């Protein structure tokens, strides 16, 4: 069975079709999901999904894209929420230097790294055009772990993250043969440090004509990764699921 380590099952674009999405994904051997939040307003819906579906594992955080929407006391709210709602990670948090408010992004990210450390939870990190700064900030908090989701950096950056005990999220970008650099990087990284993710509803794998990505397409990313790693798909499925279980301390639902 596969674990989708990053899936926005609560996304409004899914139009409350979660039961059908999860049923279709089960046919494709996807049994479990880590569902990261982006704003405080999404926390209750994710909590409810985890009650309704045993394969859903919530993460709560404040995404850098929504700096303008987060309340001034959002970090206090997050800390209170995490104290009373089960979670497998803090996230989705991080830095995106293609978006505005860099000082506020860094402040919010640092606060969430600290909270993850205090709660003894891993981090789910969004890093876009900001990976070196993310690595620099993570270095200031020894002992923390997590994943850089939808990793698109260099082999050198991946190495520095692995040295910090971080994992690398592998999304459908690798199914696109035009992404030669990313594919070379994913071919060279140790399988023990890779997590499979859909990032649905964004980023459908190459060849999928549906408008929205869905977790049922995760096997396409698995197949591409198995080819790049020159390993049997079953082995890649087994190891990446073990990696997710280990990082997020989850027991797969099937
Ligand atoms: Zn995401």
């Amino acid at each position: 069975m596969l674990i989708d380590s990053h899936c926005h099952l609560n996304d409004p674009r899914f139009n409350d079709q979660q039961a059908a999405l999860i049923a279709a994904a089960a046919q494709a051997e996807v049994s479990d999901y880590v569902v990261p939040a982006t704003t405080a307003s999404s926390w209750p819906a994710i909590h409810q999904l985890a009650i309704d579906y045993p394969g859903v594992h919530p993460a709560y955080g404040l995404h850098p894209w929504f700096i303008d929407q987060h309340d001034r006391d959002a970090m206090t709210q997050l800390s209170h929420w995490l104290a009373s709602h089960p979670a497998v990670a803090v996230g989705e948090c991080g830095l995106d230097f293609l978006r505005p408010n860099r000082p506020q992004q860094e402040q919010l990210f640092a606060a969430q790294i600290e909270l993850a450390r205090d709660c003894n939870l891993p981090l789910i990190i969004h890093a876009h055009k900001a990976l070196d700064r993310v690595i620099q900030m993570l270095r200031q908090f020894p002992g923390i772990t997590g994943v850089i989701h939808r990793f698109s950096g260099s082999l050198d950056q991946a190495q520095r993250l692995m040295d910090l005990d971080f994992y690398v999220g592998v999304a459908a970008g690798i199914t696109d043969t035009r992404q030669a650099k990313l594919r070379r990087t994913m071919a060279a990284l140790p399988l023990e440090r890779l997590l499979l993710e859909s990032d649905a509803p964004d980023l459908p794998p190459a060849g999928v004509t549906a408008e929205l990505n869905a977790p049922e397409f995760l096997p396409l990313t698995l197949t591409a990764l198995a080819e790049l790693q020159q390993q049997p798909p079953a082995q890649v499925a087994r190891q990446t699921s073990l990696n997710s279980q280990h990082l997020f301390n989850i027991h797969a639902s099937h």
Side-chain angles (χ1 to χ4, degrees), residues 24-102:
Q27 293 293 316
E29 309 223 308
V30 178
S31 63
D32 288 75
Y33 308 84
V34 176
V35 179
T38 52
T39 60
S41 62
S42 65
W43 302 342
I46 293 174
H47 176 67
Q48 188 59 47
L49 277 175
I51 291 170
D52 294 343
Y53 303 101
V56 169
H57 309 278
Y60 300 112
L62 300 159
H63 195 292
W65 284 0
F66 307 103
I67 285 286
D68 291 337
Q69 293 173 38
H70 302 320
D71 290 345
R72 285 167 64 94
D73 68 341
M75 278 308 303
T76 310
Q77 294 174 28
L78 179 58
S79 146
H80 286 159
W81 184 270
L82 283 169
S84 50
H85 298 81
V88 299
V90 171
E92 168 170 3
C93 57
L95 302 176
D96 192 327
F97 288 166
L98 288 188
R99 303 284 176 126
N101 302 316
R102 178 170 165 166

Side-chain angles (χ1 to χ4, degrees), residues 45 49 64 71 90 99 105 119 121 144 160-161 182 201 225 245:
L49 277 175
D71 290 345
V90 171
R99 303 284 176 126
Q105 286 190 35
C119 296
L121 286 171
I144 51 154
R160 282 185 274 149
L161 285 162
L182 178 66
L225 183 60
Q245 289 179 52

